[in-house]
Amino acid sequence: MKQTTIKTIASELHLSVSTISRALNDHPDIHEDTKKIVRQLADKLGYRPNIIARNLKSSKSNQIGVIVPEIRHDFFANALSGIEEVAYQKGYTVILAQSNEDQKREEINLNSMYQHRASGIIISASQTTVNYAHFEKLLERGVKMVFFDRVVNGLNVSSVRVDDRLSAYNAVKYLIRKGYTQIIHFAGPQSLEICRNRLAGYKEALLELGVDIAPIVIEGGMHEIDGYNHVSKLESFRKGQSLRMLASLVFQTILLQR
Amino acid sequence: MKQTTIKTIASELHLSVSTISRALNDHPDIHEDTKKIVRQLADKLGYRPNIIARNLKSSKSNQIGVIVPEIRHDFFANALSGIEEVAYQKGYTVILAQSNEDQKREEINLNSMYQHRASGIIISASQTTVNYAHFEKLLERGVKMVFFDRVVNGLNVSSVRVDDRLSAYNAVKYLIRKGYTQIIHFAGPQSLEICRNRLAGYKEALLELGVDIAPIVIEGGMHEIDGYNHVSKLESFRKGQSLRMLASLVFQTILLQR
DNA sequence: CTGAAAGCGCTAACAA
DNA sequence: TTGTTAGCGCTTTCAG
C-alpha cells in the first residue's frame, strides 16, 4: 500500500503541493477554509508527515545523541532519564548508545551520530578510551559536544561533573549532625580520581567536625558484590551493630557506584 | 563553512555524482583506481555521508524506537541495555523515550517515532494507559510493534513477558536446596498480577518442596524504601538473624522491583 | 566502467 | 491567497 504524501493530497484536492504543505503547517497565508479541507483529507487518508524529508530539507535532525559506558548502571540510567526529560520538553528526540567501556564501540557510535546529523552529542567516556582523536576530529568539525562525569582532560569542551569531595563531605557532616559516632567509608579503588575525592571529603569532614570519631576505611570495588562483601567483613567484627545501619550502608554503596 | 557532499567531490574530480556514490559504496562496477582516488579526496575533505538523505531515498530509518515508563527503573534500564546491544549488533540505532507513566506522553512519543519512520517500536505501556486507540491506530497502519513486560491485553500483537510465577518458584526451590529453613517473601501489592504470580510461585514451591517451612509473607510496595521498611520490620522480631541473609534480601527486593 | 537524469517528500523563494 | 519551481544529498535505473 502506497503511503499518503503531501502530493497525494494535492492531486486529490486539485491544489498544489505547496498549498498543502503550508496548510498543514498552519501558515498564515492560507485561507481557513482551505486549511480545514486539507486537514480533513489528511486525517482521512492517515497522512503522516515524513520527518526524514523535512530534516533533509532543513539539514538538521532535532535528535540529540547520548553515549554512556553502560546503560544499566544506576548512575547513568538516572542521567539518561534527566537528559530525556529535558530533550522531550524542548522537542528533541534522544538517540542512545552504550560503549560497554570499549573505545572502538564508542568511536563507531560517535561516528554514527555524527552522520545522523545529531544536533548535539552528550557523552561519558569509556574507561578504555585513551586516545582522543575521535573526539578531536568531531570537535574540529564543529560538532556540539558535552562531556559528563567521565570527563576527558585536555579537550576544549564543556563538561558536567560531580563534586565528589563536597558530596562525601556533606554526607559525613549530615551523619555527624545526626549524632552518629561510628562512620565507616566504603572506598573505591584509589587509582580513580572520583574515589580519591570521596575519601578526601570523608576525611576532611571527620577532621573538621568529628575529631572524636575514628576514621574507618574499607577499600574495594564499586559493584554490588563489593558492597555485599564489605558488609560481610563488617559483620565479622561487629556483631552487635544495628541492622538498620548496615542496610543503609548497603543502599549507599549501590547508589554511589558509577 | 559548506559541508562536503558527494557533489563537491564529483566536481573536484570531474566525475559524475553517481560514480562517486558507487565508489563510496564499494560498488563492483567501479574501477579500483577510481575508488581509491575518490576515497582519498573524501577523506581529505572530511566527507560524511548524509544518512538522512539516504534514509529519505530508501524510505527507512534503521532506527528502532523504545518507550518505557521510567528509564531509571533498574528493570527497564536493563531491558534497554539489552535492546541497545542487539540493535547495535544488527546495525540499528535506538531512539529512546520515557512516558513517565503518562498516557498522553506515551502517545506523543509513539507518534513521533511513527513519523520518524522507526523500523519498529518496542514498548512497555504506562500504568495510566487505559485507552488503546493509539496502539490500534498504528497497528492498523502496519507499524511493527512489540510489547514487553507491561503488556496490553486484547491487542493482536507480539509481546515478551516474564514468567513471574516460575521465577519465584525457582528462587525458592534454590533456597530450599541450599538448606535454608526460613524463607520470607516480600510481596508486592496483590492488586498487581505480577505480584500475585510471584506469591503463587513462592507458595507453590513451599508446598511442594518445603512442607516443613512455614510461609512468611510481608506485603508492601515495590520501591527501595519499601525494601528498607521490610527489613526494619524483620529486624524488630528477628534480632538474631544473620546479617548476610538480610543484606541478600534487600538486594533481592531491589532487583525484583519493576 | 562511467554518466545523465529522475525521484525520495518536503519547504520556500519567487511569481502570479 | 495560491502555484511553479528548484533543491536538500543520495541512490538507481537506463544508456552509453
Side-chain angles (χ1 to χ4, degrees):
Chain A
M1 179 191 100
K2 246 350 212 94
Q3 282 281 350
T4 12
T5 75
I6 234 175
K7 214 153 135 195
T8 329
I9 304 183
S11 69
E12 196 94 347
L13 251 34
H14 301 291
L15 285 171
S16 77
V17 288
S18 47
T19 303
I20 308 299
S21 168
R22 284 188 275 244
L24 257 15
N25 289 311
D26 204 20
H27 192 102
D29 276 2
I30 301 292
H31 196 94
E32 270 310 323
D33 297 350
T34 321
K35 285 185 189 171
K36 213 161 79 188
I37 306 189
V38 171
R39 287 201 197 107
Q40 269 172 1
L41 186 62
D43 222 76
K44 182 167 154 242
L45 262 38
Y47 167 77
R48 60 169 165 167
N50 187 326
I51 298 207
I52 300 183
R54 183 179 299 171
N55 286 346
L56 174 58
K57 181 67 185 165
S58 64
S59 62
K60 50 184 173 187
S61 66
N62 286 321
Q63 298 196 131
I64 84 129
V66 181
I67 303 179
V68 295
E70 280 190 90
I71 297 166
R72 54 179 99 209
H73 222 314
D74 191 68
F75 175 80
F76 292 119
N78 272 280
L80 194 53
S81 175
I83 292 170
E84 196 276 344
E85 185 63 37
V86 177
Y88 173 78
Q89 306 295 357
K90 301 290 184 185
Y92 283 74
T93 251
V94 170
I95 93 178
L96 170 67
Q98 59 189 337
S99 62
N100 274 344
E101 304 288 11
D102 175 28
Q103 161 148 9
K104 183 81 191 299
R105 193 152 157 184
E106 180 176 277
E107 284 182 31
I108 293 174
N109 284 322
L110 196 63
N111 219 44
S112 158
M113 290 176 181
Y114 178 51
Q115 296 183 175
H116 271 286
R117 267 50 181 181
S119 309
I121 299 177
I122 300 179
I123 182 167
S124 196
S126 135
Q127 269 176 13
T128 63
T129 297
V130 289
N131 175 330
Y132 305 147
H134 54 305
F135 295 140
E136 283 164 353
K137 196 178 96 188
L138 294 211
L139 247 19
E140 270 169 24
R141 300 201 183 155
V143 174
K144 268 74 178 144
M145 223 169 2
V146 172
F147 282 75
F148 78 100
D149 193 49
R150 305 275 198 81
V151 167
V152 160
N153 293 314
L155 248 39
N156 180 24
V157 58
S158 299
S159 65
V160 177
R161 58 178 86 192
V162 174
D163 189 337
D164 284 287
R165 197 203 50 75
L166 183 61
S167 305
Y169 178 90
N170 285 337
V172 174
K173 181 166 140 192
Y174 174 81
L175 290 174
I176 293 175
R177 290 256 168 89
K178 278 284 191 185
Y180 287 91
T181 56
Q182 274 196 317
I183 300 172
I184 300 165
H185 181 51
F186 288 178
Q190 294 300 297
S191 52
L192 286 181
E193 196 185 353
I194 56 173
C195 298
R196 284 198 302 272
N197 290 340
R198 289 173 188 177
L199 180 56
Y202 167 78
K203 286 184 172 165
E204 199 176 320
L206 285 191
L207 224 55
E208 216 170 279
L209 312 162
V211 279
D212 47 335
I213 300 180
I216 304 181
V217 175
I218 302 183
E219 190 176 329
M222 297 201 293
H223 284 283
E224 274 176 37
I225 183 65
D226 300 305
Y228 184 89
N229 290 334
H230 287 343
V231 171
S232 303
K233 276 187 217 158
L234 274 188
E235 175 189 1
S236 64
F237 65 91
R238 221 163 268 283
K239 280 280 187 207
Q241 281 299 319
S242 144
L243 297 185
R244 189 180 186 95
M245 177 196 160
L246 287 179
S248 156
L249 279 173
V250 173
F251 278 121
Q252 238 169 280
T253 317
I254 296 172
L255 295 180
L256 283 178
Q257 68 178 224
R258 80 169 187 268
Chain B
M1 179 192 99
K2 254 335 219 99
Q3 283 281 350
T4 359
T5 75
I6 235 175
K7 214 154 135 195
T8 328
I9 304 183
S11 69
E12 196 95 347
L13 253 33
H14 300 290
L15 284 172
S16 76
V17 288
S18 44
T19 302
I20 308 299
S21 169
R22 283 189 274 243
L24 257 15
N25 290 311
D26 204 19
H27 191 103
D29 275 2
I30 302 292
H31 196 93
E32 270 309 323
D33 296 349
T34 320
K35 284 185 189 171
K36 214 161 78 187
I37 305 189
V38 171
R39 286 200 198 108
Q40 269 172 1
L41 186 63
D43 223 75
K44 181 166 155 244
L45 262 38
Y47 168 76
R48 60 168 165 166
N50 188 326
I51 298 207
I52 300 182
R54 183 179 298 171
N55 286 347
L56 173 58
K57 182 68 185 165
S58 63
S59 61
K60 51 184 172 186
S61 66
N62 286 321
Q63 299 196 132
I64 85 129
V66 181
I67 303 179
V68 296
E70 280 191 90
I71 296 167
R72 52 179 102 208
H73 222 314
D74 192 68
F75 174 79
F76 291 120
N78 273 280
L80 195 52
S81 175
I83 291 170
E84 196 276 345
E85 185 63 38
V86 177
Y88 173 78
Q89 306 296 356
K90 300 289 184 187
Y92 283 73
T93 251
V94 170
I95 93 179
L96 169 66
Q98 59 189 337
S99 62
N100 273 345
E101 304 287 13
D102 175 28
Q103 162 148 10
K104 183 80 191 299
R105 194 152 156 183
E106 180 176 276
E107 285 182 30
I108 292 174
N109 285 140
L110 195 64
N111 218 44
S112 159
M113 291 177 180
Y114 177 52
Q115 295 183 176
H116 272 285
R117 266 54 180 177
S119 309
I121 299 177
I122 300 179
I123 182 169
S124 195
S126 136
Q127 269 177 15
T128 64
T129 297
V130 289
N131 176 329
Y132 306 147
H134 54 306
F135 296 139
E136 283 163 353
K137 196 178 96 189
L138 295 211
L139 248 19
E140 270 169 26
R141 300 202 184 153
V143 174
K144 269 74 177 146
M145 226 170 359
V146 172
F147 283 76
F148 79 99
D149 193 49
R150 304 276 198 79
V151 167
V152 160
N153 292 315
L155 247 38
N156 180 24
V157 58
S158 299
S159 65
V160 176
R161 58 178 86 193
V162 174
D163 189 337
D164 285 287
R165 197 203 51 74
L166 182 62
S167 306
Y169 178 90
N170 285 337
V172 174
K173 181 167 141 189
Y174 173 82
L175 291 173
I176 293 175
R177 289 256 167 90
K178 277 283 190 183
Y180 288 90
T181 55
Q182 275 195 316
I183 300 171
I184 300 165
H185 180 54
F186 288 177
Q190 293 300 298
S191 52
L192 288 181
E193 196 185 354
I194 56 173
C195 299
R196 284 198 302 273
N197 290 339
R198 289 173 189 177
L199 180 56
Y202 166 78
K203 285 184 172 165
E204 199 176 320
L206 284 190
L207 223 54
E208 215 170 277
L209 310 162
V211 280
D212 46 336
I213 300 179
I216 304 181
V217 176
I218 301 182
E219 190 175 329
M222 298 200 292
H223 284 284
E224 274 175 39
I225 184 64
D226 299 305
Y228 184 89
N229 290 334
H230 287 343
V231 172
S232 304
K233 277 187 217 159
L234 273 188
E235 176 190 0
S236 64
F237 65 90
R238 220 162 269 285
K239 280 280 188 207
Q241 281 298 318
S242 145
L243 297 186
R244 188 179 186 96
M245 178 197 159
L246 286 180
S248 155
L249 279 173
V250 173
F251 278 120
Q252 238 168 278
T253 317
I254 296 172
L255 296 179
L256 283 178
Q257 68 179 224
R258 80 171 187 267

